[in-house]
Amino acid sequence: MSTAALDEANGIEEAQHLNDAADSVSEQNAQSGVLQSKAALPAAALGSPDLDTVLDVDSANGPVEPADESNTEELLVPKRDINDLRFPPPHLADIRWRLFEVREPIELKIDEFEHYWPYTDNVWVRQHRAGTDRSGRVTTDYYACRLQRPTYTPRKADPTRPDGKPLRKKQTREGGTCQMRIKTVRTEGACPKYSITKVGDHEHTHDLDHMDRIKRNTVVMEIARAEVMKGFMPASVFTIMSEDEEKLAAAGGRYLNRNDVRNASQAWRRTHGDQLAVHPGYKYDHGNGIVREEEVATGLLPPTTNSTDIPMLDPALASTPILPPPVPAPPLDPNTLYFPPSSQPFLTPYLPPSTPPSPLILPHITLSYATSLDSFLAIAPNTRTALSGPISKALTHYLRTRHDAILIGVGTALADDPTLNARLPSAGGYGGLGWDGQPRPIVIDPSARWVLTPQSAILQAVAAGRARAPWVIIAPGCSIDPARLELLKHYGGKYLGLPDLEKGYRLSWEAVFRALAAEGVRSLMVEGGGVVINELLQPEYARFVSSVVVTVAPTYLGTGGVVVCPTRNVDVMGRPRPVVRFRDVRWEQVGEDVVMCGKVGMVDAEGAGFGPVSGPVPVRGGEALVEDLERAARFTT
């Protein structure tokens, strides 16, 4: 049976022979025209985030026609095929929705952006390029929702198309219905990235499903074209692509139809249409179209035949590599930690709120550290000491994923050479997208003693895409070698100088926290070391702390180490009094360790907690304290 007969039987009416097929009544034809004219572009242009600005495109009437569409050498070789539908990238539907809404800033590695962005190019149209900064490392582009302007402005008389081709029957889509805009910032450096943020306060006036209904993205159309170029007829390709509806919908092809497949491959079919056939293992069934043969086992393709093994019919494209099905994902990095979801709920009351207050004055501050039974952080100064067990260590990394930044003092940075990242499977670099879940390291270094080099553990993690670059807070007037400034900037970090100091030439913690809030840090996890923790437990600073999570290891380190012991506090009469007392306390056994969670409250002269000034707090009296201590004793025995 001929190709035309099969198409007609499958509900597609061919107006004429495939070699003389007319242009489609669909906006997808414009998209196909864009793809066909890319072959003459240099490789750099093909990697551009928005090819419409590289090609000669008429903003009202779509792409300019290629000089000769029948010349197969000018056809863009498909970079995707059916395997991109069969084996989609992880969390594709969720990521498409994030790139549609852009409710929060999104950071993606270059390869991630180039892989996921084409799945949403039916939503966004580049308006203009703001240009590159003086360093040449930062390039900014602005995008608008496709519904911001109409796609076609009708004219009284459209110009005649070349070679006697019929006029396009274009559909007009109303413009000005959505004013949502975003900007993308590409930053070069040790670990290049794209940052995507929303511009202005406008939201979409429609959902992502509406955009998928009115326009297909280039990935779906390119998959369709690649399958036809293997010698399969459009009706058969449509059947194959539609078999797994969930994956097709996740890729943005919920409303894919046979005409879309025909439009995507129309120029190629003018030369090769008479050689098209159905996929192996499928057949034409009168009244039902293209269906599986009864003996074919369940699966997208028959087990003995893979469409990737079938060469393209076009001799000019015979050498085009079609990738085999992706290999299984590599095992997790051996340093990856796992904190079971069943152990997470008890931490929820002490975590930063999902919606921070607006305007943000100070970040939510969580004080978290591991200590021995005798309250030591390290067995000796400048000595790295492992206290947490494997599960409580994973708990710490879970806390890191729930905060925007983590803060340590310069002493800890010098002693430990830390990476200051999160090593959970959901975090960027360990299975997550971009830098999701990776906190921003903050190092308090008033005199700039911490000298970073490319061999520093944290910068190596940054270069591998497994950590964010640190911000280093220095004192006013501190002089930094320009080479050090440039090195940290190359990795994406920076030095933050505070405007003033407190009495005694000490950094003001309030100034530190306000500066971080001004930089967009909504939540901060303070991990140490001893000087930082002891200062923040003093009454004058404890008011900034929102919650504490302390891991107590079942060990004594003995005297001579780094201890958590704030300076004694006295009342107006000179009598000693407790420095700080926690409230809403919860003890939880985590492996061999005990984790104490609490919220910070001030204390009165009798040692009873009365909470922060912002509101009344229930008092935990002496009996409650005894109960907590007895419970802790049971856990540690």
Side-chain angles (χ1 to χ4, degrees), residues 94-308:
D94 292 338
I95 294 172
R96 287 191 75 232
W97 186 256
R98 287 179 61 185
L99 292 174
F100 170 78
E101 286 195 310
V102 196
R103 292 195 174 183
E104 294 185 346
I106 302 171
E107 288 187 336
L108 301 176
K109 301 177 178 69
I110 298 297
D111 58 336
E112 292 174 334
F113 179 88
E114 293 177 348
H115 197 78
Y116 283 103
W117 184 256
Y119 285 95
T120 57
D121 61 5
N122 61 325
V123 178
W124 301 109
V125 178
R126 187 165 69 180
Q127 285 188 313
H128 67 280
R129 169 163 289 180
T132 305
D133 69 348
R134 293 181 179 179
S135 68
R137 294 184 298 192
V138 180
T139 303
T140 304
D141 291 312
Y142 286 87
Y143 288 80
C145 176
R146 190 171 293 274
L147 297 186
Q148 189 181 59
R149 60 181 176 86
T151 56
Y152 172 57
T153 303
R155 299 179 180 178
K156 295 182 179 179
D158 283 336
T160 303
R161 300 184 65 201
D163 301 330
K165 296 177 182 177
L167 295 178
R168 298 188 180 199
K169 299 178 181 179
K170 298 181 179 179
Q171 295 176 331
T172 302
R173 183 174 66 232
E174 181 183 0
T177 61
C178 183
Q179 301 300 321
M180 175 91 170
R181 297 175 67 234
I182 62 173
K183 72 174 180 179
T184 65
V185 179
R186 175 168 177 153
T187 305
E188 305 294 342
C191 190
K193 66 178 180 179
Y194 272 95
S195 301
I196 307 169
T197 54
K198 189 171 72 169
V199 177
D201 299 326
H202 291 287
E203 301 285 348
H204 280 299
T205 58
H206 52 86
D207 56 16
L208 180 58
D209 187 72
H210 177 71
M211 297 305 300
D212 290 341
R213 182 185 296 111
I214 64 176
K215 186 172 179 64
R216 316 294 173 258
N217 61 58
T218 56
V219 175
V220 172
M221 297 296 283
E222 194 167 345
I223 291 173
R225 187 161 62 92
E227 285 301 294
V228 173
M229 292 176 71
K230 294 174 189 176
F232 299 126
M233 56 181 295
S236 183
V237 172
F238 173 74
T239 299
I240 289 290
M241 294 182 66
S242 302
E243 284 193 329
D244 194 327
E245 295 182 356
E246 182 177 351
K247 290 182 178 179
L248 184 60
R254 182 189 303 275
Y255 301 99
L256 182 74
N257 55 55
R258 297 180 182 88
N259 275 341
D260 294 329
V261 181
R262 293 175 60 243
N263 296 337
S265 61
Q266 187 172 130
W268 186 87
R269 290 186 296 117
R270 289 196 178 100
T271 304
H272 305 87
D274 56 343
Q275 305 177 45
L276 303 181
V278 298
H279 283 78
Y282 292 77
K283 64 180 182 180
Y284 168 71
D285 182 53
H286 184 70
N288 295 316
I290 306 298
V291 297
R292 280 183 178 275
E293 294 179 351
E294 295 180 356
E295 66 273 18
V296 178
T298 302
L300 190 59
L301 289 177
T304 58
T305 305
N306 191 322
S307 70
T308 60

Side-chain angles (χ1 to χ4, degrees), residues 34 101 115 131 178 240 249 278 293 329 341 344-345 349 453 494 498 507 518 520 523 542 554 593 622:
V34 171
E101 286 195 310
H115 197 78
C178 183
I240 289 290
V278 298
E293 294 179 351
Q344 299 173 10
T453 70
K494 60 183 175 181
L498 296 182
L507 289 180
S523 55
D593 304 326

Side-chain angles (χ1 to χ4, degrees), residues 37-97:
S37 59
K38 293 178 192 173
L41 294 175
L46 292 178
S48 173
D50 191 307
L51 290 167
D52 287 347
T53 60
V54 179
L55 302 174
D56 185 9
V57 179
D58 185 313
S59 61
N61 295 307
V64 175
E65 284 295 317
D68 184 5
E69 289 186 354
S70 64
N71 185 352
T72 57
E73 294 182 357
E74 293 193 8
L75 292 174
L76 177 66
V77 177
K79 295 182 179 180
R80 303 176 187 261
D81 71 345
I82 194 66
N83 281 324
D84 289 270
L85 189 60
R86 296 166 63 190
F87 305 99
H91 314 296
L92 177 57
D94 292 338
I95 294 172
R96 287 191 75 232
W97 186 256

Side-chain angles (χ1 to χ4, degrees), residues 346-353 363-369 399 402-403 513 522-527 533 536-537 541-551 580-586 595-601 612:
F346 83 93
L347 293 168
T348 302
Y350 310 96
L351 295 175
H364 176 104
I365 298 172
T366 302
L367 191 61
S368 179
Y369 58 92
L399 290 176
R402 300 298 302 270
H403 290 77
F513 297 146
R522 300 165 299 178
S523 55
L524 178 66
M525 179 176 171
V526 179
E527 292 195 9
I533 293 173
L536 290 179
L537 289 176
Y541 299 123
R543 59 192 177 92
F544 298 123
V545 179
S546 306
S547 56
V548 293
V549 179
V550 180
T551 299
V580 64
R581 177 178 174 82
F582 304 128
R583 59 187 177 84
D584 298 342
V585 174
R586 175 164 180 172
V595 175
M596 193 243 359
C597 301
K599 297 181 180 179
V600 179

